[in-house]
Amino acid sequence: MLPQQRLELAVSIAKEAGERIVDARCRQDFSQRYKNGQELVTDVDLEIDTLISKRLEASLPGESRLSEELAPDKAVLTSADALWVVDPIDGTVNFAHGLHHVAVSIAWASEGKTRLGVVHAPFLGETFTALYGQGAWCNGKSIHASRITNLQHCLVGTGFPYRRDSRPPLLRRLTTVLEHCQDIRRNGSAALDLCDVACGRLGAYYETVSPWDFAAGWLIAREAGARAGHLYPCPEGIPEDLYGENLLVSGPEIFAELGDLLRAADANEFQWSRAE
Ligand code: IPD
Ligand code: CA
Ligand code: CA
């Protein structure tokens, strides 16, 4: 199946999943629990992952899948030549709390490159798509990342891991960004943060996440003209497009400067400079 046809399939599956997500929240007919100690998961996460998996299997039997709830084993990243990467609900905490930043994220990668991505936000009525080398769209209209050149005017999105003991080192980055940029947003969906960079609402996004959180949004942002990279070198053997550690995605003009700032923060070099 051609990438364009795969994208159409992924969009129709994401929209069907989105309808079910909206319906489940209206009816409040789901239960919640915690996995790995601190990570919230609902029945709907599992149900949507199952729905997407069944739909993909029906149209493209036997193709490899990495998905957060049903098939989270990242070993497939090194073993499969091609695979679907699925986050059934990105923004589960938002979903459970009645907030609107919630998305279905589906990407397909082959030969180490993400070829297509869809991020569908059912409560926001926005469907972001991209095809490798061909551009990025929101509800069918071409989108473009910001060409901002001044960090002080840059609104930056990020997120924090569920594990509380992993958060303190990130506070140094936060301090740095608050000092040098316009402000920070923590909207609770990495996929949508990336799409917000793609359409110029956010000037930049940085975080460490899992492949399903960012695969589709990463392609969407890059195809919209954002620069997408990692703060530190990636290990060999894992495709960079699917390696989620220390991501930085931004308008191209500020990428280098923001990267330097974040690395300096990690090295504890940054000092809060203004006594205001
Ligand atoms: C989470 C969201 C959040 C990010 C977390 C992710 P989930 O995904 O993308 O913005 O900060 O790291 O785990 O759990 O809602 O699918
Ligand atoms: Ca996610
Ligand atoms: Ca999820």
Side-chain angles (χ1 to χ4, degrees):
M1 194 184 270
L2 293 170
Q4 173 72 44
Q5 293 169 312
R6 287 174 177 270
L7 179 61
E8 284 162 19
L9 173 70
V11 168
S12 80
I13 295 173
K15 287 187 173 173
E16 182 185 354
E19 280 172 25
R20 172 63 196 133
I21 289 169
V22 171
D23 186 48
R25 197 157 76 187
C26 284
R27 292 202 269 131
Q28 288 290 308
D29 62 348
F30 57 88
S31 64
Q32 308 179 21
R33 63 187 170 82
Y34 285 86
K35 59 177 181 181
N36 310 320
Q38 290 159 338
E39 220 171 307
L40 184 69
V41 62
T42 73
D43 292 350
V44 191
D45 294 75
L46 202 63
E47 183 198 321
I48 299 297
D49 209 343
T50 306
L51 171 81
I52 295 171
S53 169
K54 274 190 189 155
R55 294 287 183 267
L56 287 174
E57 185 62 28
S59 297
L60 297 160
E63 294 201 355
S64 298
R65 289 188 291 272
L66 174 71
S67 73
E68 183 172 12
E69 311 304 337
L70 285 187
D73 185 352
K74 293 178 189 162
V76 73
L77 291 174
T78 46
S79 61
D81 280 345
L83 83 157
W84 292 94
V85 184
V86 174
D87 194 341
I89 300 184
D90 187 53
T92 293
V93 175
N94 286 345
F95 171 73
H97 286 260
L99 290 164
H100 287 177
H101 263 68
V102 171
V104 179
S105 175
I106 304 177
W108 183 69
S110 69
E111 293 164 347
K113 297 265 172 239
T114 302
R115 305 290 172 181
L116 63 91
V118 53
V119 172
H120 172 59
F123 299 106
L124 304 174
E126 291 188 321
T127 308
F128 296 88
T129 50
L131 271 175
Y132 181 81
Q134 293 185 45
W137 303 272
C138 177
N139 294 344
K141 286 196 183 130
S142 188
I143 51 173
H144 304 281
S146 121
R147 305 294 302 189
I148 196 167
T149 54
N150 186 340
L151 266 192
Q152 284 182 355
H153 300 151
C154 178
L155 194 56
V156 182
T158 191
F160 304 97
Y162 291 117
R163 281 186 53 164
R164 289 190 178 77
D165 57 358
S166 307
R167 292 176 177 174
L170 296 173
L171 297 183
R172 289 202 297 271
R173 289 188 182 179
L174 208 58
T175 306
T176 305
V177 170
L178 285 172
E179 166 71 353
H180 291 271
C181 303
Q182 185 177 32
D183 208 340
I184 282 263
R185 292 290 178 271
R186 197 289 188 247
N187 287 328
S189 160
L192 286 175
D193 288 343
L194 286 159
C195 293
D196 282 338
V197 173
C199 59
R201 296 169 183 162
L202 292 175
Y205 160 80
Y206 70 89
E207 194 174 359
T208 286
V209 290
S210 288
W212 44 78
D213 298 311
F214 84 99
W218 172 265
L219 179 70
I220 292 165
R222 208 172 46 203
E223 287 294 328
R227 189 157 164 207
H230 298 81
L231 291 171
Y232 302 103
C234 299
E236 280 191 21
I238 299 179
E240 290 197 15
D241 277 6
L242 299 175
Y243 182 68
E245 299 286 315
N246 298 301
L247 304 178
L248 173 61
V249 181
S250 75
E253 275 86 358
I254 56 165
F255 184 87
E257 193 182 352
L258 190 51
D260 286 346
L261 273 174
L262 292 167
R263 281 184 292 268
D266 290 350
N268 216 359
E269 288 164 12
F270 173 76
Q271 302 287 325
W272 191 269
S273 56
R274 272 182 283 172
E276 287 172 337

